[in-house]
């Protein structure tokens, strides 16, 4: 299957150039970057992987409210002005994007956000760096002995179920994964390359979970 390169390049992510505040569930958040598929947020309290909530924001006459899921979360590397480390999390939008996309376009029209022209380049660099850190061998190991958390397993299962229920969306994420692999020239084990379901979930979760972990969760679900 050949990746749809045109589709990959049509994906727009925007960085916030003026403060954009909102909420995710009960947590107050600051949105750092945003796309039709999700957003990166900053917040004071930790969020659990796979937790779901309502992502909401309003700026002037522009507002949006969609259901989203936490696909990764970690402490920020730099403290804020008060010297405190905040959390940064990635949200994946699970609702229809029919109302979310126009809100993003309206924010861009108002100059609150701008197109992130460096997004693809950063993802490729991060992808290569992660694979180089995992192993200096010519291919990525498919199975590791590392344990994975219950939150990670739940996150993977939620993503898998969503993509199983929407074959078109699953194909879209698989194509994006293949495109990222081809563009980065990073080696991937043949056993994983042929697993469309594994690669689709991996990309859907913004490559925040190792491929080997996704394979193990899939295998344990079958047993």
């Amino acid at each position: 299957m050949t990746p749809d390169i045109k589709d990959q390049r049509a994906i727009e992510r925007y960085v916030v150039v003026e403060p954009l505040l909102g909420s995710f569930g009960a947590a107050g958040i600051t949105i750092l970057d945003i796309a039709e598929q999700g957003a990166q947020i900053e917040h004071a309290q930790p969020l659990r992987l796979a937790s779901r909530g309502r992502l909401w924001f309003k700026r002037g006459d522009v507002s949006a409210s969609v259901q989203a899921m936490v696909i990764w979360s970690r402490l920020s590397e730099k403290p804020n002005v008060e010297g405190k480390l905040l959390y940064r999390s990635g949200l994946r939008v699970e609702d229809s994007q029919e109302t979310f996309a126009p809100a993003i376009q309206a924010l861009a029209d108002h100059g609150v956000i701008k197109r992130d022209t460096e997004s693809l380049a950063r993802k490729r660099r991060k992808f290569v760096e992660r694979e180089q850190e995992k192993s200096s061998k010519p291919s990525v190991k498919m199975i590791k002995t590392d344990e994975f958390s219950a939150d990670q397993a739940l996150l993977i299962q939620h993503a898998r179920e969503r993509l199983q229920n929407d074959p078109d969306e699953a194909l879209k994420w698989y194509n994006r994964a293949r495109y990222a692999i081809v563009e980065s020239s990073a080696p991937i084990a043949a056993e994983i390359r042929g697993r469309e379901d594994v690669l689709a979930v991996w990309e859907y979760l913004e490559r925040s979970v190792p491929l080997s972990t996704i394979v193990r969760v899939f295998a344990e679900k079958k047993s």
Side-chain angles (χ1 to χ4, degrees):
M1 189 176 300
T2 303
D4 184 348
I5 295 178
K6 182 178 179 181
D7 179 60
Q8 318 310 318
R9 295 186 186 278
I11 302 165
E12 295 289 358
R13 179 170 289 273
Y14 296 85
V15 292
V16 175
V17 294
E18 296 184 10
L20 183 57
L21 305 180
S23 62
F24 175 69
I29 64 169
T30 299
I31 296 176
L32 303 178
D33 59 57
I34 193 167
E36 290 182 20
Q37 298 84 10
Q40 180 183 178
I41 63 173
E42 194 170 55
H43 47 98
Q45 301 300 322
L47 296 174
R48 290 188 62 180
L49 288 179
S51 61
R52 287 181 162 95
R54 182 62 54 177
L55 169 63
W56 174 88
F57 65 81
K58 181 176 176 61
R59 176 64 187 260
D61 59 352
V62 180
S63 65
S65 178
V66 290
Q67 187 73 10
M69 179 176 72
V70 179
I71 60 173
W72 60 265
S73 188
R74 57 176 175 264
L75 275 173
S76 60
E77 297 178 356
K78 297 180 180 180
N80 63 5
V81 292
E82 298 175 351
K84 297 180 180 179
L85 286 176
L86 299 175
Y87 290 88
R88 290 194 176 187
S89 300
L91 304 181
R92 176 68 66 211
V93 171
E94 295 191 310
D95 280 352
S96 167
Q97 298 164 3
E98 293 179 358
T99 58
F100 198 53
I104 292 175
Q105 185 59 54
L107 291 175
D109 293 342
H110 285 69
V112 178
I113 59 177
K114 67 177 182 178
R115 183 176 288 109
D116 185 2
T117 57
E118 298 295 323
S119 179
L120 279 176
R122 281 200 308 272
K123 285 186 176 181
R124 291 170 191 152
R125 287 196 300 269
K126 288 180 180 178
F127 175 83
V128 173
E129 290 170 1
R130 281 198 298 265
E131 297 308 321
Q132 289 176 342
E133 288 176 0
K134 290 177 186 176
S135 175
S136 59
K137 296 182 179 180
S139 63
V140 177
K141 293 181 180 180
M142 185 174 69
I143 302 297
K144 292 185 177 181
T145 57
D146 298 341
E147 293 297 326
F148 53 84
S149 68
D151 284 348
Q152 276 188 317
L154 182 62
L155 177 68
I156 292 167
Q157 190 56 33
H158 281 333
R160 187 185 195 186
E161 290 173 356
R162 177 176 177 82
L163 296 182
Q164 284 178 332
N165 292 330
D166 191 338
D168 289 339
E169 186 175 10
L171 179 60
K172 175 184 70 176
W173 291 110
Y174 168 69
N175 281 338
R176 291 179 185 177
R178 284 295 306 276
Y179 175 71
I181 291 169
V182 170
E183 284 294 297
S184 67
S185 299
I188 298 292
E191 299 93 329
I192 297 177
R193 261 199 314 272
R195 293 290 303 272
E196 295 185 16
D197 54 349
V198 171
L199 290 173
V201 168
W202 177 64
E203 184 68 19
Y204 181 84
L205 298 177
E206 294 189 356
R207 311 169 205 161
S208 60
V209 179
L211 283 163
S212 57
T213 300
I214 298 173
V215 172
R216 288 184 60 201
V217 171
F218 280 20
E220 291 195 3
K221 188 66 178 177
K222 289 182 180 179
S223 60

